């Protein structure tokens, strides 16, 4: 955010070179970066910071009920808005409770500034009360880390942290502030420019490589575009649609790429990989040119590497050169921001003779018709797939949807038709249970005028249900769907299909009555056990001005199909028997 975008009077007041505490410097710096909400939880090492918040009308803080809820909320805010999310926790257990959320953001390239307190500098290294080397612990899962030794450095460090987190391949940046630094007094000087030697994230794509890819796209008879989360992060959706439509090339989008290409577009094939669509996986097996944009060839997409796109020449476009060739060799490699690269590629294709790809597209369309996503519908038994379908239909794909991790996550990816970027928030790389509901809170804070839906399993919901208090207290109108099958569904599915039905430690009987739990926190609770009840409950939830939890009690035996067992190739897809 530019300083010029702030109200001039407010900017002038914040920039005054007053003698202030390190805590006041931190708050001023965050406001100058355009931060409109910090998610956090206080403790001894950050009490000076919380004291500085007292009576500050400009600063908004949301007190979650667990530090992990705070960082997942900041993550949801960042994914849904494109801005940098901010969370704050104390030293020791407060900081270590953030580790899972930092790893989640790191795996999915989410821009966060994670602020932790630490013990006074004189006590560092003495194993003092609630001391933890959070910088050392999180070094492998942060884009960069700062340990702040002097209060005068705080404005520069905060400015650099936001720049690093939100540019290049985005990611979490940790700022660890000892308690005496947050208390120290010094003159406030906010840097007017950023100078980080060696950090040059803006990479201009090689024009010769773009020309090479243009020729390859024109010549290919069966090309395929594979779009990943980089399409969302770079805001390249419009450029991707233009390229696909200009060339008539089909598109498949990874889990984190969903919404980057409209789910109702005739050229979209669905999601590829372990639980991808039949057509998307067959397209990967049959294409002669695969153009991957902002996708890192995760193992859940490729499955066994020697069976991935075996007939294709591979072109890989990615902002991070370390990803290119890491898993899948690329004969054409282009380093650069997806939006910039696709813009140049679209211009390069203008005026070029492009043979029709219609035969390839027709075959894939026919395949899509003959092998749709399926489940056995029932008039009396509520199926989880039907719940996702009715949520999609009744929001027309215009909501922001967050998920937890498990079967419901895959059904959401399969049966919800995402039309817009930043409309699906889910933990892709780390697969973090407990992510879904707190991230929805952050998304709703960042998008107060949007419908935000949190889809959870009954397992994941119990890892974060304490955050219901936040929705109730602040009237955050998240609509919470619990897909309740009384079991750890994805674990059950693997044990059934891969471990010969040896079910072990998956029974969630004894879970709370989710309706009563919601009501205990002051949130409206509803329950549905049949298709008719499900539609009525969802209509009531959408019509309610405030948060609502719906307990969808679904059949226990449903499996996610298609499925490719780990260690198998794309061609080993199991589609299920629906006759």
């Amino acid at each position: 955010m530019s300083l010029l975008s702030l109200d001039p009077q407010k900017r002038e007041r914040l920039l005054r070179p007053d003698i202030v505490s390190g805590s006041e410097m931190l708050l001023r710096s965050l406001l100058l970066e355009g931060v409109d909400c910090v998610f956090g939880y206080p403790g001894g090492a950050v009490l000076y910071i919380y004291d500085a918040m007292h009576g500050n009308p400009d600063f908004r803080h949301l007190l979650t009920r667990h530090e992990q809820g705070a960082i997942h909320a900041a993550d949801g805010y960042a994914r849904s808005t494109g801005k940098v999310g901010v969370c704050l926790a104390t030293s020791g257990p407060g900081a270590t409770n953030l580790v899972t959320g930092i790893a989640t953001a790191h795996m999915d390239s989410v821009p966060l500034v994670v602020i932790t307190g630490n013990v006074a500098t004189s006590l560092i290294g003495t194993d003092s009360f609630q001391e933890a080397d959070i910088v050392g612990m999180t070094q492998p899962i942060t884009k960069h880390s700062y340990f702040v030794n002097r209060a005068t450095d705080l404005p520069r460090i905060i400015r650099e942290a936001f720049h690093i987190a939100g540019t290049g391949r985005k990611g979490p940046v940790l700022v660890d502030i000892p308690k005496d630094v947050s208390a120290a007094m010094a003159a406030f000087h906010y840097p007017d420019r950023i100078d980080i030697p060696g950090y040059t994230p803006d990479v201009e794509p090689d024009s010769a490589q773009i020309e090479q890819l243009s020729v390859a796209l024109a010549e290919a008879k069966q090309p395929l575009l594979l779009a990943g989360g980089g399409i969302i992060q770079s805001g390249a959706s419009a450029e991707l649609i233009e390229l696909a439509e200009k060339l008539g090339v089909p598109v498949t989008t990874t889990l984190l790429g969903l919404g980057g290409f409209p789910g109702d577009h005739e050229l979209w094939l669905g999601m590829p990989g372990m639980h991808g669509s039949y057509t998307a996986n067959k397209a990967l097996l049959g294409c002669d040119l695969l153009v991957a944009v902002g996708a890192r060839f995760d193992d859940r997409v490729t499955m066994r590497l020697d069976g991935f796109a075996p007939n294709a020449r591979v072109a890989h476009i990615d902002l991070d050169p370390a990803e290119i060739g890491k898993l899948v060799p690329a004969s054409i490699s282009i380093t650069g921001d997806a939006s910039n690269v696709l813009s140049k590629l679209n211009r390069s294709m203008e005026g070029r003779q492009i043979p029709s790809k219609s035969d390839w597209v027709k075959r894939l369309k026919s395949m899509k018709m003959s092998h749709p996503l399926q489940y056995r519908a029932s008039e009396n038994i509520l199926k989880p797939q039907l719940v996702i379908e009715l949520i999609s239909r009744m929001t027309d794909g215009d909501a922001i949807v967050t998920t937890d991790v498990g079967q419901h996550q895959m059904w959401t990816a399969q049966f919800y038709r995402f039309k817009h970027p930043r409309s699906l928030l889910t933990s892709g790389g780390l697969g973090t249970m407990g992510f879904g509901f707190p991230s929805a809170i952050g998304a709703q804070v960042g998008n107060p005028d949007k419908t935000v839906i949190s889809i959870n399993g009954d397992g994941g919901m119990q890892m974060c249900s304490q955050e219901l208090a936040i929705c109730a207290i602040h009237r955050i109108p998240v609509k919470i769907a619990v897909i309740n099958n009384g079991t750890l569904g994805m674990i059950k599915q693997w044990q059934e299909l891969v471990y010969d039905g040896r079910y072990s430690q998956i029974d969630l009987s004894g879970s709370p009555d989710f309706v009563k739990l919601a009501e205990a926190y002051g949130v409206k609770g509803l329950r549905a056990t049949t298709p008719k009840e499900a539609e009525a409950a969802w209509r009531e939830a959408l019509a309610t001005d405030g948060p609502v939890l719906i307990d969808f009690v679904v059949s226990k035996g449903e499996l996610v199909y298609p499925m490719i067992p780990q260690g198998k190739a794309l061609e080993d897809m199991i589609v299920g028997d629906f006759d």
Side-chain angles (χ1 to χ4, degrees):
M1 177 177 179
S2 168
L3 295 181
L4 296 175
S5 62
L6 285 172
D7 173 79
Q9 288 185 330
K10 182 177 180 181
R11 184 175 69 246
E12 184 179 352
R13 174 167 51 83
L14 291 172
L15 287 170
R16 283 195 314 237
D18 304 327
I19 303 296
V20 297
S21 69
S23 297
E24 178 63 25
M25 289 185 190
L26 173 64
L27 300 195
R28 284 194 186 192
S29 299
L30 293 175
L31 290 170
L32 286 165
E33 288 296 330
V35 174
D36 52 27
C37 187
V38 171
F39 305 88
Y41 202 100
V46 289
L47 283 181
Y48 285 113
I49 297 171
Y50 277 86
D51 188 54
M53 293 180 199
H54 182 72
N56 188 331
D58 296 324
F59 199 84
R60 184 184 183 192
H61 176 278
L62 200 67
L63 173 64
T64 59
R65 293 302 183 263
H66 194 288
E67 290 91 354
Q68 191 162 315
I71 193 166
H72 290 330
D75 185 311
Y77 174 94
R79 293 188 201 227
S80 64
T81 64
K83 302 176 185 177
V84 177
V86 184
C87 64
L88 171 62
T90 192
S91 63
T96 58
N97 279 341
L98 298 175
V99 171
T100 297
I102 295 172
T104 299
H106 182 261
M107 286 286 277
D108 291 349
S109 302
V110 178
L112 297 182
V113 170
V114 180
I115 302 165
T116 54
N118 213 325
V119 299
T121 53
S122 61
L123 296 175
I124 295 291
T126 67
D127 294 330
S128 62
F129 178 67
Q130 291 194 331
E131 180 188 359
D133 179 12
I134 194 63
V135 170
M137 288 181 194
T138 61
Q139 195 168 24
I141 54 172
T142 53
K143 188 175 177 184
H144 192 64
S145 296
Y146 290 93
F147 180 81
V148 186
N149 285 296
R150 303 182 306 166
T152 52
D153 293 333
L154 258 171
R156 171 186 59 80
I157 286 172
I158 293 299
R159 184 140 204 218
E160 288 180 3
F162 274 80
H163 179 67
I164 292 170
T167 57
R169 182 174 182 174
K170 299 174 175 65
V173 175
L174 180 79
V175 180
D176 194 33
I177 308 172
K179 188 171 184 177
D180 57 325
V181 172
S182 66
M185 304 296 289
F188 179 79
H189 293 291
Y190 200 71
D192 57 2
R193 64 187 185 89
I194 299 169
D195 182 20
I196 308 175
Y199 183 67
T200 53
D202 295 325
V203 180
E204 188 65 22
D206 184 275
S207 56
Q209 295 288 72
I210 287 180
E211 173 63 20
Q212 186 182 6
L213 180 52
S214 299
V215 172
L217 276 166
E219 292 178 347
K221 292 182 172 59
Q222 298 181 174
L224 179 65
L225 293 169
L226 170 64
I231 288 289
I232 309 290
Q233 292 280 12
S234 67
S237 180
E239 290 81 1
L240 177 66
I241 294 168
E242 180 183 346
L243 181 66
E245 291 179 344
K246 183 180 291 184
L247 305 182
V249 175
V251 179
T252 180
T253 45
T254 69
L255 177 64
L256 293 185
L258 290 171
F261 194 83
D264 56 357
H265 198 289
E266 63 177 359
L267 289 172
W268 186 65
L269 304 179
M271 181 180 72
M274 177 175 281
H275 293 294
S277 73
Y278 179 91
T279 308
N281 285 335
K282 286 294 185 180
L284 283 166
L285 290 169
C287 65
D288 59 8
L289 174 67
L290 176 63
V291 182
V293 189
R296 60 184 179 85
F297 292 119
D298 177 79
D299 59 286
R300 292 296 171 102
V301 169
T302 64
M303 304 312 295
R304 206 176 68 217
L305 283 170
D306 61 2
F308 178 72
N311 305 307
R313 184 184 185 191
V314 176
H316 196 172
I317 300 167
D318 205 284
L319 187 59
D320 186 353
E323 290 294 347
I324 298 177
K326 184 177 81 173
L327 292 167
V328 176
S331 60
I332 304 172
S333 59
I334 303 177
T335 302
D337 175 79
S339 179
N340 190 13
V341 172
L342 293 183
S343 291
K344 293 180 183 301
L345 186 59
N346 279 321
R347 288 199 296 272
S348 177
M349 299 305 300
E350 290 174 2
R352 198 180 291 269
Q353 288 283 74
I354 304 172
S356 172
K357 324 293 183 187
S358 60
D359 287 346
W360 167 237
V361 172
K362 284 177 183 175
R363 290 206 307 275
L364 293 175
K365 284 183 179 178
S366 175
M367 197 180 295
K368 196 173 178 180
M369 292 287 289
S370 61
H371 293 81
L373 293 166
Q374 298 181 73
Y375 64 95
R376 289 190 184 90
S378 170
E379 289 186 8
N380 301 312
I381 299 172
L382 185 57
K383 297 297 182 79
Q385 302 93 328
L386 181 139
V387 174
I388 306 302
E389 283 184 327
L390 80 84
I391 291 174
S392 179
R393 172 171 52 84
M394 292 174 67
T395 58
D396 196 27
D398 285 332
I400 295 173
V401 177
T402 77
T403 81
D404 213 83
V405 172
Q407 285 181 313
H408 72 276
Q409 179 190 34
M410 293 298 101
W411 284 318
T412 301
Q414 291 177 338
F415 289 96
Y416 194 97
R417 284 293 164 261
F418 295 96
K419 297 180 180 179
H420 310 291
R422 303 192 183 280
S423 57
L424 172 64
L425 317 181
T426 192
S427 174
L430 199 65
T432 303
M433 288 181 70
F435 169 87
F437 176 39
S439 68
I441 293 173
Q444 189 75 81
V445 169
N447 302 268
D449 298 326
K450 293 281 289 185
T451 298
V452 177
I453 302 164
S454 175
I455 302 177
N456 310 270
D458 48 326
M461 189 67 203
Q462 292 182 72
M463 293 188 176
C464 57
S465 59
Q466 69 278 357
E467 306 305 340
L468 283 164
I470 311 307
C471 287
I473 292 166
H474 299 282
R475 300 298 295 166
I476 298 172
V478 174
K479 311 308 178 191
I480 307 151
V482 180
I483 309 299
N484 183 357
N485 61 4
T487 186
L488 291 172
M490 190 59 84
I491 305 300
K492 177 180 181 292
Q493 174 160 340
W494 279 57
Q495 290 177 348
E496 180 172 328
L497 298 180
V498 181
Y499 294 87
D500 299 325
R502 294 188 295 275
Y503 301 122
S504 177
Q505 307 302 320
I506 57 169
D507 183 8
L508 290 181
S509 59
S511 296
D513 181 322
F514 288 104
V515 173
K516 289 182 179 178
L517 181 66
E519 291 172 345
Y521 278 104
V523 171
K524 184 175 187 175
L526 303 170
R527 179 173 290 112
T529 61
T530 66
K532 186 176 180 180
E533 290 176 355
E535 181 152 350
W538 188 246
R539 287 190 187 279
E540 185 175 348
L542 289 178
T544 300
D545 182 19
V548 182
L549 181 148
I550 310 99
D551 181 17
F552 291 104
V553 182
V554 300
S555 55
K556 198 169 187 173
E558 291 297 301
L559 302 181
V560 182
Y561 286 117
M563 177 183 176
I564 303 168
Q566 198 157 6
K568 300 291 186 178
L570 291 177
E571 65 181 5
D572 299 315
M573 183 169 35
I574 303 169
V575 296
D577 181 10
F578 298 101
D579 295 334

